[in-house]
PDB file of all heavy atoms in Angstrom:
ATOM      1  N   TYR A 851       2.411   9.009  10.839  1.00 92.00           N
ATOM      2  CA  TYR A 851       3.467   8.054  10.491  1.00 92.00           C
ATOM      3  C   TYR A 851       2.935   6.626  10.588  1.00 92.00           C
ATOM      4  O   TYR A 851       3.201   5.797   9.713  1.00 92.00           O
ATOM      5  CB  TYR A 851       4.665   8.250  11.423  1.00 92.00           C
ATOM      6  CG  TYR A 851       5.782   7.267  11.193  1.00 92.00           C
ATOM      7  CD1 TYR A 851       6.696   7.445  10.165  1.00 92.00           C
ATOM      8  CD2 TYR A 851       5.916   6.139  11.994  1.00 92.00           C
ATOM      9  CE1 TYR A 851       7.715   6.539   9.939  1.00 92.00           C
ATOM     10  CE2 TYR A 851       6.933   5.223  11.786  1.00 92.00           C
ATOM     11  CZ  TYR A 851       7.835   5.432  10.760  1.00 92.00           C
ATOM     12  OH  TYR A 851       8.838   4.530  10.546  1.00 92.00           O
ATOM     13  N   ILE A 852       2.173   6.357  11.644  1.00 90.00           N
ATOM     14  CA  ILE A 852       1.606   5.015  11.832  1.00 90.00           C
ATOM     15  C   ILE A 852       0.666   4.672  10.678  1.00 90.00           C
ATOM     16  O   ILE A 852       0.697   3.568  10.129  1.00 90.00           O
ATOM     17  CB  ILE A 852       0.885   4.917  13.193  1.00 90.00           C
ATOM     18  CG1 ILE A 852       1.897   5.058  14.320  1.00 90.00           C
ATOM     19  CG2 ILE A 852       0.109   3.619  13.302  1.00 90.00           C
ATOM     20  CD1 ILE A 852       1.282   5.213  15.692  1.00 90.00           C
ATOM     21  N   GLU A 853      -0.144   5.628  10.286  1.00 89.00           N
ATOM     22  CA  GLU A 853      -1.070   5.390   9.176  1.00 89.00           C
ATOM     23  C   GLU A 853      -0.305   5.150   7.877  1.00 89.00           C
ATOM     24  O   GLU A 853      -0.642   4.239   7.113  1.00 89.00           O
ATOM     25  CB  GLU A 853      -2.008   6.588   9.004  1.00 89.00           C
ATOM     26  CG  GLU A 853      -2.993   6.410   7.880  1.00 89.00           C
ATOM     27  CD  GLU A 853      -3.890   7.627   7.680  1.00 89.00           C
ATOM     28  OE1 GLU A 853      -3.955   8.486   8.583  1.00 89.00           O
ATOM     29  OE2 GLU A 853      -4.522   7.697   6.618  1.00 89.00           O
ATOM     30  N   ALA A 854       0.718   5.952   7.615  1.00 89.00           N
ATOM     31  CA  ALA A 854       1.483   5.790   6.379  1.00 89.00           C
ATOM     32  C   ALA A 854       2.171   4.427   6.332  1.00 89.00           C
ATOM     33  O   ALA A 854       2.179   3.761   5.289  1.00 89.00           O
ATOM     34  CB  ALA A 854       2.526   6.909   6.263  1.00 89.00           C
ATOM     35  N   LYS A 855       2.715   3.982   7.461  1.00 89.00           N
ATOM     36  CA  LYS A 855       3.381   2.676   7.493  1.00 89.00           C
ATOM     37  C   LYS A 855       2.362   1.538   7.347  1.00 89.00           C
ATOM     38  O   LYS A 855       2.646   0.529   6.719  1.00 89.00           O
ATOM     39  CB  LYS A 855       4.184   2.500   8.788  1.00 89.00           C
ATOM     40  CG  LYS A 855       5.465   3.286   8.793  1.00 89.00           C
ATOM     41  CD  LYS A 855       6.348   2.855   7.651  1.00 89.00           C
ATOM     42  CE  LYS A 855       7.589   3.674   7.566  1.00 89.00           C
ATOM     43  NZ  LYS A 855       8.433   3.355   6.430  1.00 89.00           N
ATOM     44  N   ALA A 856       1.179   1.699   7.936  1.00 86.00           N
ATOM     45  CA  ALA A 856       0.145   0.671   7.803  1.00 86.00           C
ATOM     46  C   ALA A 856      -0.305   0.560   6.346  1.00 86.00           C
ATOM     47  O   ALA A 856      -0.509  -0.539   5.834  1.00 86.00           O
ATOM     48  CB  ALA A 856      -1.046   0.991   8.703  1.00 86.00           C
ATOM     49  N   ARG A 857      -0.441   1.692   5.690  1.00 86.00           N
ATOM     50  CA  ARG A 857      -0.830   1.667   4.282  1.00 86.00           C
ATOM     51  C   ARG A 857       0.273   1.014   3.439  1.00 86.00           C
ATOM     52  O   ARG A 857      -0.007   0.248   2.526  1.00 86.00           O
ATOM     53  CB  ARG A 857      -1.077   3.081   3.763  1.00 86.00           C
ATOM     54  CG  ARG A 857      -2.362   3.680   4.257  1.00 86.00           C
ATOM     55  CD  ARG A 857      -2.445   5.151   3.815  1.00 86.00           C
ATOM     56  NE  ARG A 857      -3.730   5.693   4.085  1.00 86.00           N
ATOM     57  CZ  ARG A 857      -4.752   5.694   3.215  1.00 86.00           C
ATOM     58  NH1 ARG A 857      -4.600   5.169   2.031  1.00 86.00           N
ATOM     59  NH2 ARG A 857      -5.903   6.209   3.548  1.00 86.00           N
ATOM     60  N   GLU A 858       1.523   1.340   3.753  1.00 85.00           N
ATOM     61  CA  GLU A 858       2.645   0.838   2.955  1.00 85.00           C
ATOM     62  C   GLU A 858       2.906  -0.643   3.209  1.00 85.00           C
ATOM     63  O   GLU A 858       2.955  -1.440   2.275  1.00 85.00           O
ATOM     64  CB  GLU A 858       3.898   1.644   3.306  1.00 85.00           C
ATOM     65  CG  GLU A 858       5.160   1.180   2.624  1.00 85.00           C
ATOM     66  CD  GLU A 858       6.374   1.939   3.120  1.00 85.00           C
ATOM     67  OE1 GLU A 858       6.240   3.094   3.556  1.00 85.00           O
ATOM     68  OE2 GLU A 858       7.463   1.342   3.089  1.00 85.00           O
ATOM     69  N   ARG A 859       3.070  -1.025   4.464  1.00 88.00           N
ATOM     70  CA  ARG A 859       3.470  -2.400   4.782  1.00 88.00           C
ATOM     71  C   ARG A 859       2.315  -3.383   4.763  1.00 88.00           C
ATOM     72  O   ARG A 859       2.450  -4.507   4.277  1.00 88.00           O
ATOM     73  CB  ARG A 859       4.121  -2.447   6.164  1.00 88.00           C
ATOM     74  CG  ARG A 859       5.466  -1.773   6.213  1.00 88.00           C
ATOM     75  CD  ARG A 859       6.070  -1.939   7.580  1.00 88.00           C
ATOM     76  NE  ARG A 859       7.327  -1.224   7.683  1.00 88.00           N
ATOM     77  CZ  ARG A 859       7.980  -1.045   8.802  1.00 88.00           C
ATOM     78  NH1 ARG A 859       7.498  -1.546   9.928  1.00 88.00           N
ATOM     79  NH2 ARG A 859       9.102  -0.386   8.824  1.00 88.00           N
ATOM     80  N   LEU A 860       1.192  -2.990   5.321  1.00 86.00           N
ATOM     81  CA  LEU A 860       0.068  -3.911   5.448  1.00 86.00           C
ATOM     82  C   LEU A 860      -0.945  -3.758   4.327  1.00 86.00           C
ATOM     83  O   LEU A 860      -1.951  -4.464   4.303  1.00 86.00           O
ATOM     84  CB  LEU A 860      -0.618  -3.705   6.805  1.00 86.00           C
ATOM     85  CG  LEU A 860       0.299  -3.840   8.027  1.00 86.00           C
ATOM     86  CD1 LEU A 860      -0.461  -3.502   9.295  1.00 86.00           C
ATOM     87  CD2 LEU A 860       0.879  -5.231   8.098  1.00 86.00           C
ATOM     88  N   GLN A 861      -0.713  -2.814   3.447  1.00 84.00           N
ATOM     89  CA  GLN A 861      -1.588  -2.542   2.313  1.00 84.00           C
ATOM     90  C   GLN A 861      -3.024  -2.295   2.773  1.00 84.00           C
ATOM     91  O   GLN A 861      -3.979  -2.822   2.224  1.00 84.00           O
ATOM     92  CB  GLN A 861      -1.515  -3.691   1.309  1.00 84.00           C
ATOM     93  CG  GLN A 861      -0.126  -3.890   0.767  1.00 84.00           C
ATOM     94  CD  GLN A 861      -0.011  -5.106  -0.113  1.00 84.00           C
ATOM     95  OE1 GLN A 861      -0.939  -5.893  -0.236  1.00 84.00           O
ATOM     96  NE2 GLN A 861       1.143  -5.262  -0.740  1.00 84.00           N
ATOM     97  N   MET A 862      -3.149  -1.485   3.803  1.00 85.00           N
ATOM     98  CA  MET A 862      -4.468  -1.153   4.340  1.00 85.00           C
ATOM     99  C   MET A 862      -5.015   0.069   3.613  1.00 85.00           C
ATOM    100  O   MET A 862      -4.277   0.934   3.170  1.00 85.00           O
ATOM    101  CB  MET A 862      -4.376  -0.881   5.840  1.00 85.00           C
ATOM    102  CG  MET A 862      -3.951  -2.091   6.653  1.00 85.00           C
ATOM    103  SD  MET A 862      -3.839  -1.738   8.390  1.00 85.00           S
ATOM    104  CE  MET A 862      -5.565  -1.703   8.818  1.00 85.00           C
ATOM    105  N   VAL A 863      -6.342   0.129   3.517  1.00 86.00           N
ATOM    106  CA  VAL A 863      -7.006   1.267   2.891  1.00 86.00           C
ATOM    107  C   VAL A 863      -8.147   1.713   3.796  1.00 86.00           C
ATOM    108  O   VAL A 863      -8.659   0.955   4.622  1.00 86.00           O
ATOM    109  CB  VAL A 863      -7.549   0.908   1.491  1.00 86.00           C
ATOM    110  CG1 VAL A 863      -6.414   0.645   0.532  1.00 86.00           C
ATOM    111  CG2 VAL A 863      -8.491  -0.252   1.546  1.00 86.00           C
ATOM    112  N   LYS A 864      -8.542   2.971   3.633  1.00 86.00           N
ATOM    113  CA  LYS A 864      -9.690   3.479   4.394  1.00 86.00           C
ATOM    114  C   LYS A 864     -10.976   3.029   3.705  1.00 86.00           C
ATOM    115  O   LYS A 864     -10.976   2.638   2.536  1.00 86.00           O
ATOM    116  CB  LYS A 864      -9.638   5.007   4.448  1.00 86.00           C
ATOM    117  CG  LYS A 864      -8.517   5.540   5.299  1.00 86.00           C
ATOM    118  CD  LYS A 864      -8.586   7.048   5.359  1.00 86.00           C
ATOM    119  CE  LYS A 864      -7.486   7.606   6.227  1.00 86.00           C
ATOM    120  NZ  LYS A 864      -7.518   9.066   6.274  1.00 86.00           N
ATOM    121  N   ARG A 865     -12.086   3.136   4.421  1.00 89.00           N
ATOM    122  CA  ARG A 865     -13.377   2.784   3.834  1.00 89.00           C
ATOM    123  C   ARG A 865     -13.666   3.708   2.664  1.00 89.00           C
ATOM    124  O   ARG A 865     -13.439   4.917   2.741  1.00 89.00           O
ATOM    125  CB  ARG A 865     -14.489   2.921   4.865  1.00 89.00           C
ATOM    126  CG  ARG A 865     -14.428   1.823   5.871  1.00 89.00           C
ATOM    127  CD  ARG A 865     -15.706   1.740   6.645  1.00 89.00           C
ATOM    128  NE  ARG A 865     -15.601   0.601   7.544  1.00 89.00           N
ATOM    129  CZ  ARG A 865     -16.124   0.557   8.733  1.00 89.00           C
ATOM    130  NH1 ARG A 865     -16.825   1.582   9.183  1.00 89.00           N
ATOM    131  NH2 ARG A 865     -15.985  -0.502   9.480  1.00 89.00           N
ATOM    132  N   GLY A 866     -14.159   3.124   1.615  1.00 90.00           N
ATOM    133  CA  GLY A 866     -14.500   3.903   0.433  1.00 90.00           C
ATOM    134  C   GLY A 866     -13.347   4.005  -0.558  1.00 90.00           C
ATOM    135  O   GLY A 866     -13.559   4.415  -1.690  1.00 90.00           O
ATOM    136  N   GLU A 867     -12.136   3.670  -0.155  1.00 88.00           N
ATOM    137  CA  GLU A 867     -11.000   3.713  -1.076  1.00 88.00           C
ATOM    138  C   GLU A 867     -10.855   2.355  -1.751  1.00 88.00           C
ATOM    139  O   GLU A 867     -11.246   1.332  -1.203  1.00 88.00           O
ATOM    140  CB  GLU A 867      -9.696   4.032  -0.325  1.00 88.00           C
ATOM    141  CG  GLU A 867      -9.616   5.428   0.208  1.00 88.00           C
ATOM    142  CD  GLU A 867      -8.282   5.696   0.910  1.00 88.00           C
ATOM    143  OE1 GLU A 867      -7.532   4.742   1.169  1.00 88.00           O
ATOM    144  OE2 GLU A 867      -8.012   6.856   1.212  1.00 88.00           O
ATOM    145  N   ARG A 868     -10.290   2.374  -2.940  1.00 88.00           N
ATOM    146  CA  ARG A 868     -10.034   1.132  -3.649  1.00 88.00           C
ATOM    147  C   ARG A 868      -8.521   0.956  -3.721  1.00 88.00           C
ATOM    148  O   ARG A 868      -7.789   1.892  -4.018  1.00 88.00           O
ATOM    149  CB  ARG A 868     -10.585   1.189  -5.065  1.00 88.00           C
ATOM    150  CG  ARG A 868     -12.077   1.212  -5.101  1.00 88.00           C
ATOM    151  CD  ARG A 868     -12.543   1.156  -6.511  1.00 88.00           C
ATOM    152  NE  ARG A 868     -13.303  -0.066  -6.669  1.00 88.00           N
ATOM    153  CZ  ARG A 868     -13.678  -0.543  -7.811  1.00 88.00           C
ATOM    154  NH1 ARG A 868     -13.330   0.050  -8.920  1.00 88.00           N
ATOM    155  NH2 ARG A 868     -14.394  -1.637  -7.866  1.00 88.00           N
ATOM    156  N   GLN A 869      -8.102  -0.236  -3.458  1.00 85.00           N
ATOM    157  CA  GLN A 869      -6.679  -0.519  -3.495  1.00 85.00           C
ATOM    158  C   GLN A 869      -6.310  -1.109  -4.843  1.00 85.00           C
ATOM    159  O   GLN A 869      -6.961  -2.042  -5.326  1.00 85.00           O
ATOM    160  CB  GLN A 869      -6.309  -1.491  -2.384  1.00 85.00           C
ATOM    161  CG  GLN A 869      -4.836  -1.749  -2.304  1.00 85.00           C
ATOM    162  CD  GLN A 869      -4.488  -2.630  -1.123  1.00 85.00           C
ATOM    163  OE1 GLN A 869      -5.332  -3.318  -0.592  1.00 85.00           O
ATOM    164  NE2 GLN A 869      -3.245  -2.592  -0.729  1.00 85.00           N
ATOM    165  N   VAL A 870      -5.288  -0.554  -5.440  1.00 83.00           N
ATOM    166  CA  VAL A 870      -4.790  -1.050  -6.715  1.00 83.00           C
ATOM    167  C   VAL A 870      -3.327  -1.406  -6.505  1.00 83.00           C
ATOM    168  O   VAL A 870      -2.533  -0.581  -6.059  1.00 83.00           O
ATOM    169  CB  VAL A 870      -4.925   0.012  -7.828  1.00 83.00           C
ATOM    170  CG1 VAL A 870      -4.333  -0.495  -9.129  1.00 83.00           C
ATOM    171  CG2 VAL A 870      -6.373   0.409  -8.009  1.00 83.00           C
ATOM    172  N   ILE A 871      -2.991  -2.639  -6.816  1.00 80.00           N
ATOM    173  CA  ILE A 871      -1.610  -3.087  -6.669  1.00 80.00           C
ATOM    174  C   ILE A 871      -1.066  -3.368  -8.057  1.00 80.00           C
ATOM    175  O   ILE A 871      -1.605  -4.186  -8.799  1.00 80.00           O
ATOM    176  CB  ILE A 871      -1.530  -4.359  -5.798  1.00 80.00           C
ATOM    177  CG1 ILE A 871      -2.063  -4.069  -4.408  1.00 80.00           C
ATOM    178  CG2 ILE A 871      -0.099  -4.865  -5.731  1.00 80.00           C
ATOM    179  CD1 ILE A 871      -2.118  -5.278  -3.511  1.00 80.00           C
ATOM    180  N   LEU A 872      -0.013  -2.666  -8.403  1.00 78.00           N
ATOM    181  CA  LEU A 872       0.648  -2.871  -9.684  1.00 78.00           C
ATOM    182  C   LEU A 872       1.862  -3.744  -9.443  1.00 78.00           C
ATOM    183  O   LEU A 872       2.699  -3.445  -8.603  1.00 78.00           O
ATOM    184  CB  LEU A 872       1.087  -1.538 -10.283  1.00 78.00           C
ATOM    185  CG  LEU A 872      -0.036  -0.553 -10.603  1.00 78.00           C
ATOM    186  CD1 LEU A 872       0.555   0.748 -11.101  1.00 78.00           C
ATOM    187  CD2 LEU A 872      -0.957  -1.140 -11.642  1.00 78.00           C
ATOM    188  N   ILE A 873       1.921  -4.812 -10.168  1.00 80.00           N
ATOM    189  CA  ILE A 873       3.069  -5.693 -10.042  1.00 80.00           C
ATOM    190  C   ILE A 873       3.915  -5.499 -11.288  1.00 80.00           C
ATOM    191  O   ILE A 873       3.578  -5.981 -12.371  1.00 80.00           O
ATOM    192  CB  ILE A 873       2.635  -7.159  -9.896  1.00 80.00           C
ATOM    193  CG1 ILE A 873       1.754  -7.316  -8.671  1.00 80.00           C
ATOM    194  CG2 ILE A 873       3.854  -8.060  -9.819  1.00 80.00           C
ATOM    195  CD1 ILE A 873       1.182  -8.697  -8.511  1.00 80.00           C
ATOM    196  N   ALA A 874       4.970  -4.770 -11.129  1.00 79.00           N
ATOM    197  CA  ALA A 874       5.868  -4.509 -12.241  1.00 79.00           C
ATOM    198  C   ALA A 874       7.206  -5.161 -11.908  1.00 79.00           C
ATOM    199  O   ALA A 874       7.684  -5.080 -10.780  1.00 79.00           O
ATOM    200  CB  ALA A 874       6.059  -3.011 -12.432  1.00 79.00           C
ATOM    201  N   PRO A 875       7.786  -5.823 -12.886  1.00 79.00           N
ATOM    202  CA  PRO A 875       9.070  -6.464 -12.601  1.00 79.00           C
ATOM    203  C   PRO A 875      10.154  -5.406 -12.369  1.00 79.00           C
ATOM    204  O   PRO A 875      10.127  -4.333 -12.980  1.00 79.00           O
ATOM    205  CB  PRO A 875       9.351  -7.286 -13.859  1.00 79.00           C
ATOM    206  CG  PRO A 875       8.545  -6.649 -14.928  1.00 79.00           C
ATOM    207  CD  PRO A 875       7.355  -6.043 -14.246  1.00 79.00           C
ATOM    208  N   ASN A 876      11.062  -5.743 -11.486  1.00 86.00           N
ATOM    209  CA  ASN A 876      12.151  -4.793 -11.266  1.00 86.00           C
ATOM    210  C   ASN A 876      13.167  -4.929 -12.402  1.00 86.00           C
ATOM    211  O   ASN A 876      13.024  -5.756 -13.302  1.00 86.00           O
ATOM    212  CB  ASN A 876      12.799  -5.011  -9.897  1.00 86.00           C
ATOM    213  CG  ASN A 876      13.367  -6.396  -9.725  1.00 86.00           C
ATOM    214  OD1 ASN A 876      13.627  -7.078 -10.694  1.00 86.00           O
ATOM    215  ND2 ASN A 876      13.560  -6.799  -8.484  1.00 86.00           N
ATOM    216  N   LYS A 877      14.187  -4.118 -12.356  1.00 89.00           N
ATOM    217  CA  LYS A 877      15.144  -4.039 -13.452  1.00 89.00           C
ATOM    218  C   LYS A 877      15.862  -5.375 -13.686  1.00 89.00           C
ATOM    219  O   LYS A 877      16.028  -5.803 -14.827  1.00 89.00           O
ATOM    220  CB  LYS A 877      16.163  -2.944 -13.148  1.00 89.00           C
ATOM    221  CG  LYS A 877      17.046  -2.579 -14.287  1.00 89.00           C
ATOM    222  CD  LYS A 877      17.905  -1.381 -13.933  1.00 89.00           C
ATOM    223  CE  LYS A 877      18.701  -0.923 -15.128  1.00 89.00           C
ATOM    224  NZ  LYS A 877      19.477   0.268 -14.861  1.00 89.00           N
ATOM    225  N   GLU A 878      16.257  -6.047 -12.601  1.00 90.00           N
ATOM    226  CA  GLU A 878      16.958  -7.317 -12.744  1.00 90.00           C
ATOM    227  C   GLU A 878      16.058  -8.373 -13.372  1.00 90.00           C
ATOM    228  O   GLU A 878      16.500  -9.162 -14.226  1.00 90.00           O
ATOM    229  CB  GLU A 878      17.469  -7.821 -11.383  1.00 90.00           C
ATOM    230  CG  GLU A 878      18.557  -6.963 -10.769  1.00 90.00           C
ATOM    231  CD  GLU A 878      18.007  -5.793  -9.976  1.00 90.00           C
ATOM    232  OE1 GLU A 878      16.828  -5.851  -9.571  1.00 90.00           O
ATOM    233  OE2 GLU A 878      18.749  -4.827  -9.786  1.00 90.00           O
TER     234      GLU A 878
END
């Protein structure tokens, strides 16, 4: 759970992984 929240909130990744952030506008 701690790892999942760190990945979600802090946008952390493990070594060797690449982080891709998609910025898509919301419906409004």
Side-chain angles (χ1 to χ4, degrees):
Y851 177 81
I852 294 170
E853 180 182 344
K855 285 300 176 184
R857 286 174 171 268
E858 176 185 333
R859 291 183 184 171
L860 304 175
Q861 300 174 353
M862 296 179 76
V863 293
K864 290 183 179 179
R865 287 195 177 145
E867 291 182 348
R868 291 185 117 191
Q869 184 175 20
V870 177
I871 299 176
L872 298 176
I873 301 175
N876 59 21
K877 191 173 186 177
E878 293 85 21

